[in-house]
Amino acid sequence: MPLDPSDLTAATAPLHRARSMPAGFYTDPAIFAAERQHLFLKHWFFLCRAETLPNPGDYRAFDNPGGPIVLVRGSDGVLRCFANYCRHRGSILLEGTGNIGGRIICPYHAWSYLNDGRLYGCPDMKDAEGFDKVENGLVTLDIDQWAGFVFARFTKDGPSLAEHLGDLPDRMASHRPEEMRHTWTCTLDVACNWKLILENAMETYHTGIVHRETVGAQTSRTLPTRGNWICIQVVSGRSIATLSDTVPPFDKIEGLDEDARMGTYFTVALPTMQFAVAQDCLWWLNCIPIAENRTRLEVGGCFPAARLDQPDFQIRAEPYYDRWERVAKEDVGILEKQQRALGSALYRPGPLSWRDDMVQALGVWVVDRLGL
Ligand code: FES
Ligand SMILES: [Fe+2]
């Protein structure tokens, strides 16, 4: 066992006497390997919004701790997710994003696949004994959607996406996320463990300090959840998706329920996805773990579809994009300092504040699933 049991006991104690997780939780390759096995290969993870691949043949390739994968819309209009490798000798098939028309052609020896994953062409395979084209289509992953958010997973069994998300869709229902459209992305390579990003995103203890030049001090309340997600709400009658020196350029979403009107929900759809849902928009922090000390962070932003029809949409959206990027970079700055400190031979877990309740909750959820 790579972590000291007494450290784990202290980290999972009642909050008023709990300590933070031991350094190895964030720095040990053995813990990262266990997370890959028990979290990343087992649970649903977010890919993208469905509307970003509208046409047959549209595709997007993704890096993932389980290996490269690709999402493709078939000629029948159905989105499918495949392991992004050729069944001959394993070249990557597709990079980036684009449209492959009806066929995926391997760049190595030109085997070709239909856009629904079936093997189509395979030159010079006539003599291969027992070779069956039907058995050599692309390897598929399960996918599912909530309100246009496409998720996939490597395992074939386990709870459905709806069961996994529990009452998250109910909490967000009055924002009508199914009517949101993805308009902006910023991708950052961060030299820290993925859990540090999400822990940070679930507490407002740091905001008055790290974000003193941008969003400033905030207060939050923790909301009860059912399913594999956690939630706080930053209480503010105005959207905090733009800075306080800007009047939010977009109207609030019509018909928000009473709780939703009170502020912005910050959530983690466990293990790796934050939805932040304000009164006028939503954005996400999608963490793609690369190694114990490296994470790709994708920040994405969405607005209600009707806003995109406003003639000055781009100008109005700019302050949101600016805020999302600036605040994310401020967080990255402090998180990389934290990761460096966790490498100290003299590191000892510190005491938690009542404001760290969701920091602890995230760690406990991971510990429970790793069987530590
Ligand atoms: S590896 Fe794809 S055709 Fe050979
Ligand atoms: Fe922050």
Side-chain angles (χ1 to χ4, degrees):
M1 157 125 31
L3 302 180
D4 184 330
S6 65
D7 282 343
L8 289 175
T9 302
T12 55
L15 184 60
H16 63 279
R17 50 188 165 81
R19 305 188 80 82
S20 56
M21 287 287 172
F25 195 53
Y26 309 96
T27 62
D28 190 329
I31 294 292
F32 189 77
E35 289 174 344
R36 182 177 185 272
Q37 182 185 350
H38 296 290
L39 304 183
F40 311 142
L41 295 182
K42 267 198 189 156
H43 289 282
W44 293 101
F45 56 89
F46 173 67
L47 291 177
C48 65
R49 290 280 308 173
E51 76 269 8
T52 57
L53 303 179
N55 301 312
D58 284 349
Y59 76 89
R60 182 175 162 194
F62 300 84
D63 290 324
N64 186 277
I69 56 181
V70 63
L71 189 64
V72 183
R73 194 175 290 280
S75 296
D76 55 3
V78 175
L79 275 177
R80 295 180 181 83
C81 188
F82 306 111
N84 186 9
Y85 73 90
C86 177
R87 295 297 304 277
H88 172 222
R89 285 181 50 227
S91 170
I92 295 281
L93 291 167
L94 293 166
E95 306 271 12
T97 185
N99 186 290
I100 38 98
R103 306 230 206 303
I104 301 165
I105 300 172
C106 177
Y108 202 171
H109 313 93
W111 281 27
S112 63
Y113 302 84
L114 298 177
N115 60 18
D116 61 8
R118 284 178 292 167
L119 179 60
Y120 180 75
C122 41
D124 300 324
M125 291 299 292
K126 285 184 287 301
D127 293 342
E129 195 174 313
F131 172 71
D132 183 351
K133 270 169 75 168
V134 175
E135 289 172 1
N136 285 279
L138 300 180
V139 175
T140 59
L141 285 77
D142 280 358
I143 66 168
D144 204 349
Q145 296 188 31
W146 159 64
F149 293 97
V150 182
F151 288 72
R153 70 173 170 192
F154 281 86
T155 173
K156 291 287 173 201
D157 28 65
S160 66
L161 179 64
E163 287 166 333
H164 183 73
L165 294 177
D167 62 350
L168 183 152
D170 302 334
R171 172 63 73 184
M172 308 305 168
S174 75
H175 288 88
R176 300 198 303 283
E178 66 281 3
E179 294 175 18
M180 294 279 184
R181 296 293 176 268
H182 178 201
T183 61
W184 176 86
T185 307
C186 167
T187 303
L188 302 170
D189 282 309
V190 188
C192 81
N193 185 270
W194 64 278
K195 299 185 292 296
L196 294 184
I197 297 175
L198 293 168
E199 290 171 359
N200 171 268
M202 291 301 287
E203 52 95 345
T204 55
Y205 197 6
H206 74 280
T207 59
I209 304 98
V210 173
H211 306 304
R212 77 172 72 75
E213 305 295 332
T214 52
V215 290
Q218 299 171 330
T219 54
S220 57
R221 60 177 186 144
T222 298
L223 296 174
T225 55
R226 178 178 54 75
N228 289 295
W229 72 293
I230 53 179
C231 186
I232 62 172
Q233 184 179 43
V234 174
V235 180
S236 171
R238 53 152 280 163
S239 168
I240 59 162
T242 56
L243 303 183
S244 52
D245 59 0
T246 317
V247 177
F250 288 115
D251 290 342
K252 291 182 181 170
I253 294 163
E254 303 77 19
L256 290 181
D257 65 34
E258 192 181 333
D259 273 350
R261 285 198 302 272
M262 285 177 61
T264 300
Y265 297 128
F266 287 85
T267 70
V268 179
L270 293 155
T272 50
M273 175 70 171
Q274 170 161 88
F275 292 103
V277 187
Q279 291 98 323
D280 53 355
C281 64
L282 71 80
W283 70 101
W284 68 70
L285 304 185
N286 185 21
C287 294
I288 298 122
I290 310 286
E292 66 281 359
N293 56 1
R294 282 184 57 214
T295 306
R296 183 153 310 133
L297 171 61
E298 184 195 78
V299 189
C302 295
F303 292 97
R307 305 288 182 267
L308 277 63
D309 297 333
Q310 295 182 222
D312 53 355
F313 170 77
Q314 285 299 345
I315 292 166
R316 287 177 185 251
E318 267 319 311
Y320 295 80
Y321 303 158
D322 176 59
R323 178 258 191 247
W324 290 331
E325 184 166 346
R326 281 173 66 187
V327 172
K329 287 180 173 171
E330 288 171 345
D331 283 321
V332 165
I334 198 70
L335 293 169
E336 292 187 337
K337 288 180 194 292
Q338 188 181 13
Q339 184 74 32
R340 279 169 56 210
L342 286 162
S344 168
L346 299 176
Y347 186 85
R348 301 288 179 272
L352 296 182
S353 158
W354 61 268
R355 301 187 71 173
D356 291 317
D357 60 337
M358 288 297 102
V359 172
Q360 185 189 40
L362 196 146
V364 167
W365 187 89
V366 172
V367 163
D368 283 349
R369 273 143 196 89
L370 299 190
L372 295 172

